[in-house]
């Protein structure tokens, strides 16, 4: 399978064998998944509460407006929560080192 990742062409991305050598690091994939969750959940949350926001904070589709900034801020907050939860999960999964 050929796939462009940034400016690098990955000729072989073997998802069946997780121990195979890959040009995409586990950290990059983790960051991508966290960002994807943040954008999807943040946008869903924003569009659920948008009717209750003041009119200037409601995004109008083809324009760059305050609503777009509020949407971005909500996604950023959700990303912070996702990173916080992932960090706590990682800390609890490590055995105690003495």
């Amino acid at each position: 399978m050929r796939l462009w990742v940034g400016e690098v062409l990955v000729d072989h991305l073997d998802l069946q064998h997780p121990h195979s050598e890959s040009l995409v690091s586990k950290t990059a994939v983790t960051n991508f998944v966290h960002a994807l969750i943040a954008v999807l959940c943040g946008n869903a949350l924003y569009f659920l509460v948008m009717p209750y926001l003041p009119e200037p904070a409601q995004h109008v589709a083809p324009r760059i407006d305050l609503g777009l900034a509020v949407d971005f801020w909500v996604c950023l907050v959700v990303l912070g929560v996702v990173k916080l939860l992932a960090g706590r999960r990682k800390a609890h999964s490590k055995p105690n080192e003495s």
Side-chain angles (χ1 to χ4, degrees):
M1 175 204 255
R2 299 186 84 161
L3 177 69
W4 281 98
V5 178
E7 294 182 8
V8 178
L9 177 64
V10 179
D11 286 324
H12 180 70
L13 184 62
D14 193 355
L15 299 176
Q16 298 291 330
H17 301 90
H19 298 295
S20 65
E21 196 170 321
S22 176
L23 293 178
V24 181
S25 70
K26 184 177 180 180
T27 304
V29 172
T30 301
N31 285 336
F32 174 76
V33 170
H34 289 171
L36 181 64
I37 291 169
V39 168
L40 294 176
C41 293
N43 282 323
L45 181 63
Y46 173 75
F47 284 107
L48 284 173
V49 300
M50 189 174 72
Y52 306 104
L53 295 174
E55 196 166 321
Q58 295 179 8
H59 178 56
V60 178
R63 296 189 318 193
I64 296 176
D65 55 6
L66 181 62
L68 193 61
V70 173
D71 182 26
F72 174 76
W73 180 82
V74 170
C75 291
L76 196 61
V77 169
V78 172
L79 179 61
V81 170
V82 168
K83 292 287 187 181
L84 180 69
L85 293 175
R88 285 187 177 183
R89 181 175 174 224
K90 188 175 180 181
H92 287 299
S93 67
K94 287 183 179 180
N96 290 339
E97 297 178 18
S98 298

